Amino acid sequence: MAIRKLFTNARIYTPFDQGSPRSGKDQGVLRIFENGALLVENGIILSVGDEQKVRQDAINLEIHEEVDCCGRCMVPGFVDPHTHICFAANREEEFSMRLSGVPYLEILENGGGILSSVRSLREMDAAALFDITRENVLSALSFGTTTIEIKTGYGLDTESELKMLDVIQRIRRETPLDVAVTFMGAHAVPLEYKGEEEAFVDFLVEEMLPVVASKKIADFCDVFCEKGVFSIDQSRRILQKARELGMGIKIHADEVHDLGGAGLAAELEAISAEHLLAASKTNLAKMAEKGTIAVLLPCTAYSLKKPFADARNMIDLGLPVAVATDCNPGSCFCESMPFVFGLSVMHMNMSVEETLVASTLNAAYAIGKNKVAGSLQEGKKGDFLLLQGKSPAIFAYHAGVSPVKERYVRGERISF
């Protein structure tokens, strides 16, 4: 039976998906309906636009529920395309160390950082890990995230990485969020392989990746291409193997040093390169030529007290830009996309319109969810937010709070 809901009296702001991520001057192009309406059938958008037009589309249809949006701004649900939100324990003490001036790579070399999260995750059973992850992702949903990417990378052995993947699959099944799953066994070199980094890469390529791929439980493979972690050659080998096994590829590129990760992303035509705080203009231009999406993480720059990624330059180069929380237990414990939105506008010199595209449509393309999420248009899921404000500018204007008044997934209101 078809169940139809009509949402009326809304100020609708949405990107329009024309089959590719928005870039350059098109990055900030939106469709705006000052007196808009949305018709949802069985969770899928049937019609969107001016209320008069949508009502005409529905004239011969049975409407089971009509919702007055009271003139509120309606935007697509946020898509968070980069998180490490599945973890076992916080790392507050590390935060204090960084504030006192200890560099992150030094913390990592001494067994902290990612390796600390590895120890706690290996010790935790799957049920407890699911409970923690569920709490985190529902918090993200409360801030308006309806589609999310979740990476592994705190297991770093086959058993623990599979445990994470099983937990993430449960999150996909048992919460309202739409989840993209990324295998990141190449997040760091575990202590048992210290000094034998090439042997760990062999293990990843010859054992872990084939097992993960055979189970078909990860959409993408990611690698931390950075000085002191995985080299360009090692990263290339891992990602090429993942591609051979049928997985999409992503890369943590040039977060601390300009190692050339952005150039590798372009060479391999990765779907996205992420962080990019230190990426060269030359390699960013190569990414633009290949259509690789730049996923920027302003919360991480904020938390690490680093300069923000040069979003303005990237957009001017024609790079499609997306933004994400990078929610993780170490460098950035933040699940709030409204906070990301405000930082993007105020500290990365992006316009409100560009940021809305970056946090919805381009973000959906960065995790392969563009056919179902990222914009309010016919055939996509009825995932949207109603705001306490007249336009998306409220995300940057009303700082330090969430202006999300209501959130809907497949046309169903999610209450907290």
Side-chain angles (χ1 to χ4, degrees):
M1 178 182 174
I3 303 298
R4 302 181 189 92
K5 296 184 179 183
L6 178 62
F7 299 86
T8 63
N9 190 19
R11 299 166 60 92
I12 299 176
Y13 288 72
T14 179
F16 184 67
D17 188 356
Q18 295 179 300
S20 61
R22 307 310 291 261
S23 61
K25 293 180 180 179
D26 289 335
Q27 169 93 34
V29 174
L30 301 177
R31 297 173 81 190
I32 301 172
F33 304 101
E34 295 288 352
N35 184 27
L38 185 76
L39 176 62
V40 176
E41 180 180 275
N42 293 342
I44 304 300
I45 298 172
L46 198 61
S47 179
V48 60
D50 292 321
E51 185 170 326
Q52 183 178 0
K53 178 259 185 191
V54 175
R55 286 192 179 277
Q56 184 63 36
D57 290 343
I59 197 166
N60 294 319
L61 300 175
E62 181 181 3
I63 303 301
H64 298 86
E65 183 180 358
E66 184 169 326
V67 178
D68 183 351
C69 297
C70 302
R72 296 191 186 281
C73 177
M74 176 189 290
V75 298
F78 283 126
V79 179
D80 189 347
H82 180 127
T83 83
H84 303 267
I85 206 167
C86 178
F87 58 83
N90 295 346
R91 300 193 329 240
E92 291 178 52
E93 68 287 349
E94 201 175 286
F95 177 74
S96 298
M97 290 174 66
R98 291 203 317 272
L99 290 178
S100 70
V102 181
Y104 173 73
L105 290 181
E106 181 177 329
I107 294 171
L108 183 64
E109 288 170 3
N110 291 322
I114 294 169
L115 298 178
S116 172
S117 290
V118 170
R119 287 192 298 273
S120 60
L121 187 131
R122 287 179 176 180
E123 294 167 0
M124 180 171 285
D125 65 43
L129 182 61
F130 172 78
D131 289 341
I132 292 171
T133 306
R134 182 179 182 274
E135 181 179 354
N136 288 340
V137 299
L138 291 181
S139 177
L141 177 58
S142 75
F143 286 108
T145 296
T146 55
T147 301
I148 192 168
E149 185 252 23
I150 306 177
K151 303 179 192 291
T152 70
Y154 294 133
L156 304 187
D157 61 30
T158 305
E159 179 183 359
S160 302
E161 287 290 305
L162 289 176
K163 176 171 65 177
M164 291 191 75
L165 287 166
D166 287 343
V167 166
I168 297 168
Q169 289 292 340
R170 278 194 67 190
I171 295 295
R172 178 184 260 176
R173 294 191 304 269
E174 299 179 27
T175 73
L177 290 98
D178 192 357
V179 179
V181 186
T182 298
F183 168 69
M184 199 174 178
H187 200 187
V189 177
L191 285 175
E192 60 266 30
Y193 279 92
K194 191 170 184 179
E196 299 180 61
E197 289 77 12
E198 285 297 330
F200 182 63
V201 174
D202 290 342
F203 174 64
L204 269 167
V205 169
E206 296 168 9
E207 296 190 38
M208 291 180 71
L209 270 169
V211 170
V212 171
S214 70
K215 293 179 176 292
K216 300 186 184 303
I217 50 176
D219 306 303
F220 299 97
C221 176
D222 198 345
V223 59
F224 192 0
C225 182
E226 181 58 72
K227 182 179 178 181
V229 193
F230 295 97
S231 69
I232 290 289
D233 289 342
Q234 291 168 336
S235 299
R236 180 186 289 109
R237 184 180 171 205
I238 293 164
L239 294 175
Q240 285 178 332
K241 181 63 174 183
R243 173 170 283 164
E244 289 172 11
L245 293 169
M247 300 169 71
I249 59 173
K250 298 172 159 288
I251 183 169
H252 279 50
D254 306 328
E255 177 182 1
V256 182
H257 301 94
D258 180 15
L259 198 67
L264 179 62
E267 173 194 327
L268 299 179
E269 298 186 27
I271 192 171
S272 65
E274 325 202 344
H275 284 291
L276 301 171
L277 296 176
S280 71
K281 187 171 183 178
T282 298
N283 284 333
L284 292 173
K286 291 178 181 178
M287 283 176 54
E289 290 175 7
K290 295 297 180 69
T292 298
I293 299 167
V295 178
L296 307 184
L297 311 170
C299 287
T300 309
Y302 168 85
S303 296
L304 295 177
K305 293 188 174 182
K306 298 286 187 180
F308 288 82
D310 192 351
R312 187 77 269 135
N313 175 55
M314 294 180 196
I315 292 172
D316 291 344
L317 284 171
L319 256 174
V321 169
V323 294
T325 62
D326 191 23
C327 183
N328 70 76
S331 61
C332 178
F333 188 18
C334 174
E335 61 271 40
S336 170
M337 284 296 286
F339 184 55
V340 170
F341 199 111
L343 289 178
S344 300
V345 172
M346 303 304 294
H347 292 283
M348 295 202 304
N349 300 315
M350 296 173 67
S351 71
V352 167
E353 294 79 10
E354 289 168 341
T355 306
L356 184 63
V357 172
S359 57
T360 56
L361 183 61
N362 281 5
Y365 269 98
I367 56 174
K369 294 289 185 180
N370 48 288
K371 292 184 178 179
V372 295
S375 60
L376 300 178
Q377 59 193 95
E378 292 80 359
K380 295 196 178 188
K381 294 184 302 172
D383 294 358
F384 60 90
L385 313 175
L386 295 179
L387 310 181
Q388 275 188 313
K390 294 182 178 180
S391 79
I394 192 69
F395 288 116
Y397 170 68
H398 198 179
V401 301
S402 173
V404 176
K405 178 71 173 178
E406 298 176 15
R407 62 215 53 78
Y408 289 80
V409 174
R410 292 184 175 272
E412 297 291 332
R413 184 177 178 182
I414 306 296
S415 298
F416 287 88

